[in-house]
Amino acid sequence: MIVDHLARALVTATATLVELVGPAGDAERAALNTLEEIAYLLGQMTADERQEFRDVLERVAAAEPERADFIRSLPGSLDLNLES
């Protein structure tokens, strides 16, 4: 499914950005800005879309056990609660 590919791309980008946050400097600011933008854009989803996103991430996590914990933590890390 194309949604799975998009979710994987998001996971990869987010994982890379999270790694960049550690060191000080311009990369840190850029990573934080990008993570904030990702959270903002995904925050525009409806509650149903957020649940669908969680379902997709669960499929991706099952397919990528080495990153499963990180993948499953993304909605909470990006403040994507289902009530909004």
Side-chain angles (χ1 to χ4, degrees), residues 7-82:
R8 282 192 174 106
L10 176 64
V11 167
T12 299
T14 306
T16 301
L17 291 170
V18 166
E19 289 178 21
L20 289 174
V21 171
D26 292 335
E28 179 180 8
R29 184 76 254 151
L32 287 172
N33 287 343
T34 303
L35 287 167
E36 289 170 358
E37 182 70 9
I38 289 169
Y40 171 77
L41 292 170
L42 293 176
Q44 303 303 303
M45 294 185 292
T46 66
D48 288 343
E49 290 169 332
R50 290 173 190 221
Q51 183 57 55
E52 183 179 356
F53 181 62
R54 287 177 182 272
D55 294 344
V56 169
L57 288 177
E58 186 57 40
R59 287 195 304 271
V60 172
E64 298 188 27
E66 68 283 353
R67 295 197 296 183
D69 290 341
F70 175 80
I71 293 166
R72 289 183 178 110
S73 74
L74 279 177
S77 297
L78 297 171
D79 198 25
L80 298 177
N81 58 41
L82 293 176

